[in-house]
Amino acid sequence: MIIIVLLISISLTIALVFLGIFVWSMKSGQYDDTYTPSVRMLFDDTEKQKKK
């Protein structure tokens, strides 16, 4: 019975750590720009050609 309590407490700790990391990344603005990644592949080739 003690092992079940131990495993549940470990899994809850890990889940809270991941939740904390997610909340921190949301507050730091990591997911603010949703447009640029979708069009980045369209502009990469033209930038490489201009540099050469």
Side-chain angles (χ1 to χ4, degrees):
M1 185 68 181
I2 189 79
I3 193 69
I4 294 173
V5 173
L6 181 67
L7 288 174
I8 290 173
S9 64
I10 290 173
S11 65
L12 284 175
T13 303
I14 291 172
L16 288 174
V17 167
F18 281 117
L19 179 65
I21 292 171
F22 176 72
V23 168
W24 172 74
S25 68
M26 290 296 291
K27 287 186 177 186
S28 69
Q30 184 173 355
Y31 300 110
D32 284 346
D33 187 14
T34 58
Y35 178 70
T36 302
S38 64
V39 296
R40 185 178 297 148
M41 67 178 191
L42 300 174
F43 299 115
D44 279 347
D45 292 336
T46 56
E47 290 177 9
K48 288 180 184 177
Q49 290 174 356
K50 288 180 183 177
K51 289 180 183 178
K52 290 183 178 181

